[in-house]
Amino acid sequence: MIYWDYNSTSPLRKRVKEKMASALDAQYANPNSSHSLGQSARHAIEKARRTLAKSMGCEPGELIFSASATESNLMALWGHWMLRSQQNPEFKKILASPIEHSSVHENLLCLQEKFGAQIVFTPLDKDGLVDLEKCEKLLSEGGYAFCTVMGAHNETGVIQPWQKLSEICKNAKVPYHSDLVQCFGRIPFKISESQISTGTISFHKAGGPKGVSVLYIRKGVQIEPVIRGGAQEKKRRAGTENILAIIGAEALAEEIEELNGVFSTSVKLARDRLEKEILASIPSAKIVGKNAPRIPNTSYIIFPGIKADAMVMNLDLQGACVGTGSACASGMVLPSRTLLQLGYSETDALGAIRFSFGPENLVEEVVRMTPLIQTAVSKLTSAAA
Ligand code: PLP
């Protein structure tokens, strides 16, 4: 199988698997128990927290473990909203990009529907980049509970100027949350070089385990704890930590420099070669965000007139797994919300395929895959005619 769906999730890297396997028998105790086995688990978790903090350029005490990026996003968004709206009922607005991942977007809609939050969507350019000047102007009008704009987009791969926006938010005294899920492992970054208040990191898109995420909370930033219960994570997120997944995340973080290196060289080379070959053989194809800064592993291509779900099935039958931006609801395929927001037609938004590579997808796979894509496109185009 050719697996080009890393932005959805990825296979475990070898070292991650090995470390998790050896911890299976050794680390079963509850890290919150005071006996020696519990303390050994606690020690493993705190060691992982230090390694993770180093890999993303922050302090260990600024990271809290959760069970998924969805959960980290929820804790940040609700946590900022609850604290800020309680501090000042005038803080009713939320500045957000209209193309956030559904784990952010749906929570914003919920805050709007249930608590009267007013969502102000940031203007975007045709590649989906936020307009910093307009953001600054909007924030200067006051009344914002917080701002949220992701680091890199899960469909297009376009990297937002999140560090610059974080400075603007800091100057406006508005907390800023950034969903950095698609950044970790793909592009080097140091959280300490930004001013974000909170940030979500995930590991399973880059060879790490599912079932764990970290929420970064800058020292001194307060958010209301949402997942309440036990006193874990200094009462900021209740629930027994997933120690095996945390150990797996640590193993991934230990390889972060090597991973960033592979992504910026061979993975980028493979992605660029794919785009060149597709454009040469299918001139109607449109590459979304081609001229914007993008994470090196992602290529989001519209094949006009083709239904993405049919293309996924066709490629699957030929031995290749790829993704789409469309979603399924009640058995209906819905066009990508992102592409509609970027001004593409509904037909284009139903015909986009996301190719997202991992470290082992190199040029040889592109050479094998290009004719498969060409065959699928010509077959599906003639079927539609
Ligand atoms: N944020 C982004 C940008 C994502 O791409 C994803 C997953 O696709 C998530 C959040 C949610 O991740 P999870 O499903 O692991 O909670």
Side-chain angles (χ1 to χ4, degrees):
M1 265 324 223
I2 291 179
Y3 186 78
W4 281 6
D5 197 16
Y6 269 68
N7 287 13
S8 166
T9 194
S10 65
L12 289 179
R13 277 172 78 76
K14 190 164 167 282
R15 271 193 78 247
V16 171
K17 215 185 305 180
E18 284 167 1
K19 288 223 162 178
M20 288 176 76
S22 60
L24 263 173
D25 283 332
Q27 299 293 3
Y28 54 85
N30 191 321
N32 305 294
S33 299
S34 52
H35 49 65
S36 56
L37 283 182
Q39 288 315 294
S40 157
R42 166 60 50 210
H43 176 76
I45 288 185
E46 296 315 318
K47 184 165 100 44
R49 201 190 306 272
R50 286 193 294 278
T51 311
L52 285 163
K54 189 163 167 247
S55 73
M56 52 190 83
C58 64
E59 297 291 321
E62 293 178 314
L63 296 181
I64 67 173
F65 289 110
S66 78
S68 67
T70 299
E71 184 187 315
S72 293
N73 279 336
L74 179 145
M75 287 196 292
L77 303 174
W78 284 71
H80 282 302
W81 171 261
M82 282 161 69
L83 195 93
R84 292 274 289 173
S85 59
Q86 191 186 36
Q87 277 171 351
N88 185 345
E90 303 279 294
F91 293 152
K92 275 208 166 324
K93 290 189 274 183
I94 300 171
L95 185 63
S97 97
I99 53 171
E100 292 296 295
H101 185 265
S102 52
S103 59
V104 168
H105 190 75
E106 291 297 323
N107 277 292
L108 296 179
L109 295 183
C110 181
L111 292 176
Q112 174 178 261
E113 188 189 318
K114 307 282 181 203
F115 301 101
Q118 295 164 11
I119 305 169
V120 178
F121 285 122
T122 58
L124 301 176
D125 73 6
K126 62 177 188 351
D127 292 321
L129 287 168
V130 296
D131 182 324
L132 290 173
E133 268 179 38
K134 288 188 183 144
C135 286
E136 191 167 12
K137 191 162 177 294
L138 285 166
L139 289 168
S140 72
E141 291 163 7
Y144 283 89
F146 66 92
C147 167
T148 183
V149 171
M150 69 206 314
H153 198 276
N154 44 297
E155 285 168 50
T156 67
V158 167
I159 304 170
Q160 294 287 2
W162 58 278
Q163 288 101 332
K164 287 192 181 133
L165 182 56
S166 74
E167 303 279 345
I168 293 172
C169 288
K170 185 178 183 221
N171 291 338
K173 296 192 171 52
V174 173
Y176 172 38
H177 173 70
S178 193
D179 172 350
L180 302 174
V181 166
Q182 296 289 349
C183 298
F184 190 75
R186 276 94 186 259
I187 44 168
F189 65 87
K190 294 267 171 262
I191 294 183
S192 59
E193 289 168 9
S194 80
Q195 292 296 337
I196 59 169
S197 314
T198 52
T200 293
I201 317 276
S202 168
F203 309 101
H204 72 89
K205 317 276 184 186
K210 300 161 186 57
V212 65
S213 158
V214 294
L215 176 64
Y216 163 81
I217 307 178
R218 182 173 295 274
K219 199 172 171 185
V221 167
Q222 295 288 323
I223 60 172
E224 193 65 34
V226 178
I227 315 282
R228 288 171 181 260
Q232 291 91 351
E233 300 299 295
K234 299 203 172 101
K235 287 197 143 188
R236 293 178 296 179
R237 189 269 183 186
T240 305
E241 296 89 341
N242 182 348
I243 186 161
L244 290 179
I246 290 173
I247 287 171
E250 179 188 27
L252 182 73
E254 282 165 351
E255 298 192 313
I256 192 82
E257 279 172 24
E258 183 195 324
L259 208 52
N260 284 333
V262 176
F263 271 94
S264 64
T265 52
S266 42
V267 171
K268 182 172 186 308
L269 204 75
R271 193 270 312 266
D272 292 351
R273 167 87 177 260
L274 173 77
E275 294 189 345
K276 203 166 149 217
E277 301 216 348
I278 297 276
L279 287 180
S281 57
I282 310 168
S284 61
K286 301 175 203 174
I287 296 171
V288 183
K290 187 163 181 14
N291 300 314
R294 281 182 295 160
I295 45 175
N297 77 321
T298 305
S299 185
Y300 196 31
I301 308 185
I302 296 170
F303 297 97
I306 281 177
K307 294 263 191 302
D309 53 330
M311 177 110 164
V312 169
M313 269 195 271
N314 185 299
L315 288 174
D316 196 14
L317 291 172
Q318 300 191 68
C321 298
V322 300
T324 70
S326 39
C328 253
S330 319
M332 289 248 308
V333 181
L334 301 175
S336 151
R337 172 168 57 80
T338 299
L339 291 179
L340 294 180
Q341 282 292 337
L342 298 186
Y344 288 94
S345 67
E346 193 166 319
T347 316
D348 276 356
L350 281 166
I353 297 288
R354 179 185 64 187
F355 302 105
S356 53
F357 302 99
E360 59 288 322
N361 301 130
L362 305 175
V363 166
E364 297 83 76
E365 270 191 13
V366 173
V367 173
R368 267 175 64 206
M369 185 74 164
T370 316
L372 305 188
I373 298 171
Q374 288 157 351
T375 312
V377 169
S378 60
K379 205 167 166 188
L380 295 169
T381 314
S382 47

Short mmCIF file of all heavy atoms in Angstrom, two decimals, residues 131-182:
data_model
loop_
_atom_site.label_atom_id
_atom_site.label_comp_id
_atom_site.label_asym_id
_atom_site.label_seq_id
_atom_site.Cartn_x
_atom_site.Cartn_y
_atom_site.Cartn_z
N ASP A 131 -5.23 38.18 7.35
CA ASP A 131 -4.68 39.51 7.09
C ASP A 131 -4.34 40.15 8.45
O ASP A 131 -5.22 40.49 9.24
CB ASP A 131 -5.77 40.32 6.35
CG ASP A 131 -5.29 41.71 5.99
OD1 ASP A 131 -4.53 42.30 6.78
OD2 ASP A 131 -5.69 42.20 4.92
N LEU A 132 -3.03 40.26 8.71
CA LEU A 132 -2.60 40.69 10.05
C LEU A 132 -3.04 42.12 10.37
O LEU A 132 -3.45 42.42 11.50
CB LEU A 132 -1.08 40.58 10.18
CG LEU A 132 -0.54 39.15 10.23
CD1 LEU A 132 0.97 39.13 10.19
CD2 LEU A 132 -1.06 38.42 11.48
N GLU A 133 -2.96 42.98 9.35
CA GLU A 133 -3.35 44.39 9.61
C GLU A 133 -4.80 44.48 10.01
O GLU A 133 -5.19 45.19 10.94
CB GLU A 133 -3.12 45.23 8.36
CG GLU A 133 -1.74 45.85 8.34
CD GLU A 133 -1.50 46.65 7.08
OE1 GLU A 133 -2.43 47.32 6.61
OE2 GLU A 133 -0.36 46.58 6.60
N LYS A 134 -5.64 43.70 9.26
CA LYS A 134 -7.08 43.74 9.58
C LYS A 134 -7.33 43.12 10.96
O LYS A 134 -8.20 43.59 11.70
CB LYS A 134 -7.88 43.05 8.49
CG LYS A 134 -7.93 43.89 7.22
CD LYS A 134 -8.87 43.33 6.18
CE LYS A 134 -8.78 44.19 4.91
NZ LYS A 134 -8.90 43.41 3.68
N CYS A 135 -6.57 42.09 11.30
CA CYS A 135 -6.75 41.48 12.63
C CYS A 135 -6.42 42.52 13.70
O CYS A 135 -7.15 42.66 14.70
CB CYS A 135 -5.82 40.28 12.81
SG CYS A 135 -6.33 38.84 11.89
N GLU A 136 -5.34 43.24 13.48
CA GLU A 136 -4.91 44.24 14.46
C GLU A 136 -5.99 45.30 14.63
O GLU A 136 -6.33 45.72 15.74
CB GLU A 136 -3.60 44.87 13.99
CG GLU A 136 -2.94 45.71 15.05
CD GLU A 136 -1.50 46.07 14.68
OE1 GLU A 136 -1.09 45.85 13.52
OE2 GLU A 136 -0.80 46.57 15.57
N LYS A 137 -6.57 45.70 13.49
CA LYS A 137 -7.60 46.74 13.53
C LYS A 137 -8.84 46.23 14.29
O LYS A 137 -9.39 46.92 15.15
CB LYS A 137 -7.97 47.14 12.09
CG LYS A 137 -8.81 48.37 12.00
CD LYS A 137 -8.78 48.98 10.61
CE LYS A 137 -9.70 50.18 10.56
NZ LYS A 137 -11.11 49.79 10.73
N LEU A 138 -9.22 44.99 13.98
CA LEU A 138 -10.39 44.42 14.65
C LEU A 138 -10.16 44.34 16.16
O LEU A 138 -11.02 44.73 16.97
CB LEU A 138 -10.68 43.02 14.11
CG LEU A 138 -11.31 42.95 12.72
CD1 LEU A 138 -11.25 41.54 12.15
CD2 LEU A 138 -12.78 43.42 12.78
N LEU A 139 -8.97 43.86 16.54
CA LEU A 139 -8.68 43.71 17.97
C LEU A 139 -8.67 45.06 18.69
O LEU A 139 -9.06 45.15 19.86
CB LEU A 139 -7.34 43.00 18.18
CG LEU A 139 -7.31 41.50 17.83
CD1 LEU A 139 -5.89 40.98 17.79
CD2 LEU A 139 -8.14 40.69 18.81
N SER A 140 -8.27 46.12 17.95
CA SER A 140 -8.18 47.44 18.59
C SER A 140 -9.57 47.97 18.96
O SER A 140 -9.71 48.89 19.76
CB SER A 140 -7.45 48.43 17.69
OG SER A 140 -8.28 48.75 16.60
N GLU A 141 -10.62 47.35 18.36
CA GLU A 141 -11.98 47.81 18.69
C GLU A 141 -12.43 47.32 20.08
O GLU A 141 -13.44 47.78 20.60
CB GLU A 141 -12.97 47.32 17.62
CG GLU A 141 -12.74 48.03 16.28
CD GLU A 141 -13.38 47.31 15.09
OE1 GLU A 141 -14.12 46.32 15.32
OE2 GLU A 141 -13.12 47.74 13.96
N GLY A 142 -11.67 46.35 20.65
CA GLY A 142 -11.95 45.89 22.01
C GLY A 142 -13.11 44.89 22.09
O GLY A 142 -13.77 44.58 21.10
N GLY A 143 -13.32 44.35 23.30
CA GLY A 143 -14.45 43.45 23.54
C GLY A 143 -14.16 41.99 23.21
O GLY A 143 -15.08 41.18 23.12
N TYR A 144 -12.86 41.64 23.01
CA TYR A 144 -12.55 40.26 22.63
C TYR A 144 -12.24 39.39 23.85
O TYR A 144 -11.43 39.77 24.70
CB TYR A 144 -11.36 40.21 21.66
CG TYR A 144 -11.79 40.60 20.26
CD1 TYR A 144 -11.77 41.94 19.85
CD2 TYR A 144 -12.30 39.65 19.38
CE1 TYR A 144 -12.21 42.30 18.60
CE2 TYR A 144 -12.74 40.00 18.11
CZ TYR A 144 -12.70 41.33 17.73
OH TYR A 144 -13.14 41.69 16.49
N ALA A 145 -12.87 38.23 23.89
CA ALA A 145 -12.56 37.25 24.94
C ALA A 145 -11.24 36.57 24.62
O ALA A 145 -10.40 36.37 25.48
CB ALA A 145 -13.67 36.22 25.05
N PHE A 146 -11.06 36.19 23.35
CA PHE A 146 -9.80 35.58 22.91
C PHE A 146 -9.79 35.52 21.39
O PHE A 146 -10.78 35.85 20.73
CB PHE A 146 -9.60 34.18 23.53
CG PHE A 146 -10.59 33.13 23.09
CD1 PHE A 146 -10.33 32.31 22.00
CD2 PHE A 146 -11.79 32.96 23.78
CE1 PHE A 146 -11.25 31.34 21.61
CE2 PHE A 146 -12.71 31.98 23.40
CZ PHE A 146 -12.43 31.18 22.30
N CYS A 147 -8.64 35.09 20.87
CA CYS A 147 -8.47 34.93 19.43
C CYS A 147 -7.99 33.50 19.19
O CYS A 147 -7.26 32.95 20.02
CB CYS A 147 -7.43 35.94 18.95
SG CYS A 147 -6.80 35.65 17.28
N THR A 148 -8.42 32.89 18.09
CA THR A 148 -7.88 31.56 17.77
C THR A 148 -7.66 31.43 16.26
O THR A 148 -8.59 31.63 15.48
CB THR A 148 -8.77 30.42 18.33
OG1 THR A 148 -8.16 29.17 18.03
CG2 THR A 148 -10.19 30.43 17.80
N VAL A 149 -6.44 31.14 15.90
CA VAL A 149 -6.06 30.90 14.49
C VAL A 149 -5.01 29.80 14.52
O VAL A 149 -4.05 29.85 15.29
CB VAL A 149 -5.49 32.17 13.82
CG1 VAL A 149 -4.91 31.85 12.44
CG2 VAL A 149 -6.56 33.27 13.70
N MET A 150 -5.20 28.78 13.67
CA MET A 150 -4.32 27.61 13.71
C MET A 150 -2.91 27.89 13.18
O MET A 150 -2.68 28.93 12.54
CB MET A 150 -4.94 26.47 12.92
CG MET A 150 -4.97 26.73 11.43
SD MET A 150 -6.29 25.86 10.54
CE MET A 150 -6.24 24.21 11.16
N GLY A 151 -1.99 26.95 13.43
CA GLY A 151 -0.63 27.09 12.92
C GLY A 151 -0.55 26.72 11.44
O GLY A 151 -0.20 27.53 10.59
N ALA A 152 -0.89 25.47 11.12
CA ALA A 152 -0.87 25.03 9.71
C ALA A 152 -2.19 24.32 9.44
O ALA A 152 -2.70 23.60 10.29
CB ALA A 152 0.29 24.10 9.46
N HIS A 153 -2.68 24.52 8.21
CA HIS A 153 -4.02 23.98 7.90
C HIS A 153 -3.96 22.50 7.55
O HIS A 153 -3.11 22.07 6.78
CB HIS A 153 -4.66 24.77 6.76
CG HIS A 153 -6.13 24.57 6.71
ND1 HIS A 153 -6.70 23.50 6.07
CD2 HIS A 153 -7.14 25.27 7.29
CE1 HIS A 153 -8.02 23.57 6.23
NE2 HIS A 153 -8.31 24.63 6.96
N ASN A 154 -4.91 21.74 8.12
CA ASN A 154 -4.92 20.30 7.91
C ASN A 154 -5.24 19.89 6.47
O ASN A 154 -4.79 18.86 6.00
CB ASN A 154 -5.92 19.62 8.86
CG ASN A 154 -7.23 20.37 8.95
OD1 ASN A 154 -7.27 21.52 9.41
ND2 ASN A 154 -8.31 19.75 8.50
N GLU A 155 -6.01 20.72 5.73
CA GLU A 155 -6.29 20.35 4.34
C GLU A 155 -5.24 20.94 3.39
O GLU A 155 -4.64 20.25 2.60
CB GLU A 155 -7.67 20.87 3.91
CG GLU A 155 -8.83 20.08 4.48
CD GLU A 155 -10.17 20.79 4.27
OE1 GLU A 155 -10.47 21.20 3.14
OE2 GLU A 155 -10.90 20.96 5.27
N THR A 156 -5.04 22.27 3.47
CA THR A 156 -4.17 22.93 2.49
C THR A 156 -2.69 22.88 2.88
O THR A 156 -1.83 23.06 2.03
CB THR A 156 -4.55 24.42 2.37
OG1 THR A 156 -4.25 25.08 3.61
CG2 THR A 156 -6.02 24.60 2.07
N GLY A 157 -2.41 22.73 4.15
CA GLY A 157 -1.02 22.77 4.63
C GLY A 157 -0.48 24.19 4.77
O GLY A 157 0.67 24.38 5.16
N VAL A 158 -1.31 25.20 4.46
CA VAL A 158 -0.83 26.59 4.51
C VAL A 158 -0.52 26.99 5.96
O VAL A 158 -1.31 26.72 6.88
CB VAL A 158 -1.88 27.55 3.87
CG1 VAL A 158 -1.57 29.01 4.19
CG2 VAL A 158 -1.92 27.33 2.37
N ILE A 159 0.66 27.61 6.13
CA ILE A 159 1.11 28.00 7.48
C ILE A 159 0.70 29.44 7.74
O ILE A 159 1.08 30.36 7.00
CB ILE A 159 2.65 27.88 7.60
CG1 ILE A 159 3.11 26.45 7.25
CG2 ILE A 159 3.12 28.28 8.99
CD1 ILE A 159 4.62 26.30 7.11
N GLN A 160 -0.06 29.62 8.79
CA GLN A 160 -0.50 30.98 9.16
C GLN A 160 0.65 31.74 9.86
O GLN A 160 1.49 31.10 10.51
CB GLN A 160 -1.68 30.91 10.14
CG GLN A 160 -2.96 30.33 9.58
CD GLN A 160 -3.66 31.26 8.60
OE1 GLN A 160 -3.19 32.35 8.29
NE2 GLN A 160 -4.80 30.80 8.10
N PRO A 161 0.65 33.06 9.80
CA PRO A 161 1.68 33.82 10.52
C PRO A 161 1.33 33.89 12.01
O PRO A 161 1.10 34.96 12.57
CB PRO A 161 1.61 35.20 9.85
CG PRO A 161 0.20 35.31 9.36
CD PRO A 161 -0.28 33.92 9.05
N TRP A 162 1.30 32.69 12.65
CA TRP A 162 0.79 32.62 14.03
C TRP A 162 1.71 33.32 15.03
O TRP A 162 1.22 33.89 16.01
CB TRP A 162 0.48 31.17 14.45
CG TRP A 162 1.63 30.22 14.37
CD1 TRP A 162 2.08 29.57 13.26
CD2 TRP A 162 2.48 29.77 15.43
NE1 TRP A 162 3.15 28.77 13.56
CE2 TRP A 162 3.42 28.86 14.89
CE3 TRP A 162 2.55 30.04 16.80
CZ2 TRP A 162 4.41 28.24 15.65
CZ3 TRP A 162 3.52 29.42 17.56
CH2 TRP A 162 4.44 28.53 17.00
N GLN A 163 3.02 33.31 14.74
CA GLN A 163 3.92 33.99 15.69
C GLN A 163 3.66 35.50 15.66
O GLN A 163 3.58 36.15 16.70
CB GLN A 163 5.38 33.71 15.36
CG GLN A 163 5.83 32.28 15.69
CD GLN A 163 5.88 31.41 14.43
OE1 GLN A 163 5.14 31.66 13.47
NE2 GLN A 163 6.70 30.39 14.45
N LYS A 164 3.48 36.04 14.42
CA LYS A 164 3.24 37.49 14.31
C LYS A 164 1.89 37.85 14.93
O LYS A 164 1.74 38.85 15.62
CB LYS A 164 3.26 37.92 12.84
CG LYS A 164 4.66 37.91 12.26
CD LYS A 164 4.70 38.63 10.92
CE LYS A 164 6.11 38.58 10.36
NZ LYS A 164 6.14 38.19 8.96
N LEU A 165 0.90 37.01 14.66
CA LEU A 165 -0.42 37.30 15.22
C LEU A 165 -0.37 37.25 16.76
O LEU A 165 -1.06 38.03 17.44
CB LEU A 165 -1.44 36.29 14.68
CG LEU A 165 -2.88 36.47 15.13
CD1 LEU A 165 -3.41 37.87 14.80
CD2 LEU A 165 -3.80 35.42 14.49
N SER A 166 0.48 36.38 17.28
CA SER A 166 0.57 36.28 18.75
C SER A 166 1.10 37.59 19.36
O SER A 166 0.68 37.98 20.45
CB SER A 166 1.42 35.08 19.17
OG SER A 166 2.79 35.32 18.96
N GLU A 167 2.01 38.26 18.62
CA GLU A 167 2.53 39.56 19.11
C GLU A 167 1.39 40.58 19.11
O GLU A 167 1.24 41.37 20.05
CB GLU A 167 3.64 40.09 18.18
CG GLU A 167 4.82 39.16 17.99
CD GLU A 167 5.82 39.23 19.13
OE1 GLU A 167 5.76 40.19 19.91
OE2 GLU A 167 6.65 38.30 19.24
N ILE A 168 0.62 40.56 18.02
CA ILE A 168 -0.49 41.53 17.89
C ILE A 168 -1.50 41.32 19.04
O ILE A 168 -1.96 42.27 19.65
CB ILE A 168 -1.16 41.37 16.50
CG1 ILE A 168 -0.18 41.80 15.41
CG2 ILE A 168 -2.48 42.12 16.40
CD1 ILE A 168 -0.63 41.52 13.99
N CYS A 169 -1.79 40.06 19.30
CA CYS A 169 -2.75 39.76 20.38
C CYS A 169 -2.19 40.19 21.73
O CYS A 169 -2.91 40.71 22.58
CB CYS A 169 -3.10 38.27 20.41
SG CYS A 169 -4.14 37.79 19.03
N LYS A 170 -0.89 39.95 21.91
CA LYS A 170 -0.29 40.33 23.20
C LYS A 170 -0.42 41.85 23.38
O LYS A 170 -0.81 42.33 24.46
CB LYS A 170 1.18 39.91 23.24
CG LYS A 170 1.77 40.21 24.60
CD LYS A 170 3.19 39.80 24.76
CE LYS A 170 3.60 40.10 26.20
NZ LYS A 170 4.92 40.65 26.27
N ASN A 171 -0.11 42.60 22.31
CA ASN A 171 -0.21 44.06 22.41
C ASN A 171 -1.64 44.51 22.69
O ASN A 171 -1.87 45.49 23.38
CB ASN A 171 0.30 44.73 21.12
CG ASN A 171 1.80 44.54 21.00
OD1 ASN A 171 2.48 44.30 21.99
ND2 ASN A 171 2.31 44.62 19.78
N ALA A 172 -2.60 43.74 22.14
CA ALA A 172 -4.02 44.10 22.34
C ALA A 172 -4.55 43.55 23.66
O ALA A 172 -5.74 43.72 23.98
CB ALA A 172 -4.85 43.58 21.17
N LYS A 173 -3.69 42.81 24.39
CA LYS A 173 -4.08 42.17 25.67
C LYS A 173 -5.24 41.19 25.50
O LYS A 173 -6.18 41.13 26.30
CB LYS A 173 -4.42 43.23 26.72
CG LYS A 173 -3.24 44.12 27.10
CD LYS A 173 -3.56 44.93 28.34
CE LYS A 173 -2.38 45.67 28.92
NZ LYS A 173 -1.62 46.51 28.03
N VAL A 174 -5.18 40.46 24.38
CA VAL A 174 -6.21 39.44 24.12
C VAL A 174 -5.53 38.07 24.09
O VAL A 174 -4.56 37.89 23.34
CB VAL A 174 -6.92 39.71 22.76
CG1 VAL A 174 -7.87 38.57 22.40
CG2 VAL A 174 -7.66 41.04 22.80
N PRO A 175 -5.98 37.10 24.89
CA PRO A 175 -5.36 35.76 24.85
C PRO A 175 -5.49 35.15 23.45
O PRO A 175 -6.50 35.34 22.77
CB PRO A 175 -6.17 34.94 25.86
CG PRO A 175 -6.90 35.94 26.69
CD PRO A 175 -7.08 37.17 25.86
N TYR A 176 -4.45 34.43 23.06
CA TYR A 176 -4.43 33.83 21.71
C TYR A 176 -4.19 32.34 21.82
O TYR A 176 -3.18 31.91 22.39
CB TYR A 176 -3.35 34.51 20.88
CG TYR A 176 -3.08 33.89 19.51
CD1 TYR A 176 -4.11 33.38 18.73
CD2 TYR A 176 -1.80 33.81 19.00
CE1 TYR A 176 -3.88 32.83 17.49
CE2 TYR A 176 -1.54 33.26 17.75
CZ TYR A 176 -2.59 32.76 17.01
OH TYR A 176 -2.35 32.20 15.77
N HIS A 177 -5.09 31.54 21.27
CA HIS A 177 -4.91 30.09 21.23
C HIS A 177 -4.58 29.67 19.80
O HIS A 177 -5.24 30.10 18.86
CB HIS A 177 -6.18 29.37 21.68
CG HIS A 177 -6.08 27.87 21.48
ND1 HIS A 177 -5.25 27.07 22.25
CD2 HIS A 177 -6.66 27.04 20.58
CE1 HIS A 177 -5.34 25.82 21.85
NE2 HIS A 177 -6.18 25.77 20.82
N SER A 178 -3.57 28.82 19.64
CA SER A 178 -3.28 28.32 18.30
C SER A 178 -3.24 26.80 18.28
O SER A 178 -2.60 26.16 19.13
CB SER A 178 -1.94 28.89 17.80
OG SER A 178 -1.83 28.63 16.42
N ASP A 179 -3.94 26.23 17.30
CA ASP A 179 -3.97 24.79 17.09
C ASP A 179 -2.75 24.44 16.22
O ASP A 179 -2.74 24.70 15.02
CB ASP A 179 -5.30 24.44 16.39
CG ASP A 179 -5.39 23.01 15.93
OD1 ASP A 179 -4.37 22.30 15.96
OD2 ASP A 179 -6.49 22.59 15.52
N LEU A 180 -1.73 23.85 16.87
CA LEU A 180 -0.45 23.59 16.18
C LEU A 180 -0.30 22.13 15.78
O LEU A 180 0.80 21.63 15.57
CB LEU A 180 0.72 24.02 17.08
CG LEU A 180 0.72 25.49 17.52
CD1 LEU A 180 1.84 25.75 18.53
CD2 LEU A 180 0.87 26.42 16.32
N VAL A 181 -1.45 21.45 15.69
CA VAL A 181 -1.44 19.99 15.46
C VAL A 181 -0.65 19.59 14.22
O VAL A 181 0.09 18.61 14.23
CB VAL A 181 -2.91 19.50 15.38
CG1 VAL A 181 -3.00 18.09 14.81
CG2 VAL A 181 -3.53 19.53 16.77
N GLN A 182 -0.81 20.34 13.13
CA GLN A 182 -0.15 19.90 11.88
C GLN A 182 1.29 20.43 11.79
O GLN A 182 1.96 20.20 10.77
CB GLN A 182 -0.97 20.36 10.66
CG GLN A 182 -2.35 19.74 10.56
CD GLN A 182 -2.33 18.24 10.19
OE1 GLN A 182 -1.30 17.68 9.81
NE2 GLN A 182 -3.47 17.58 10.32
#
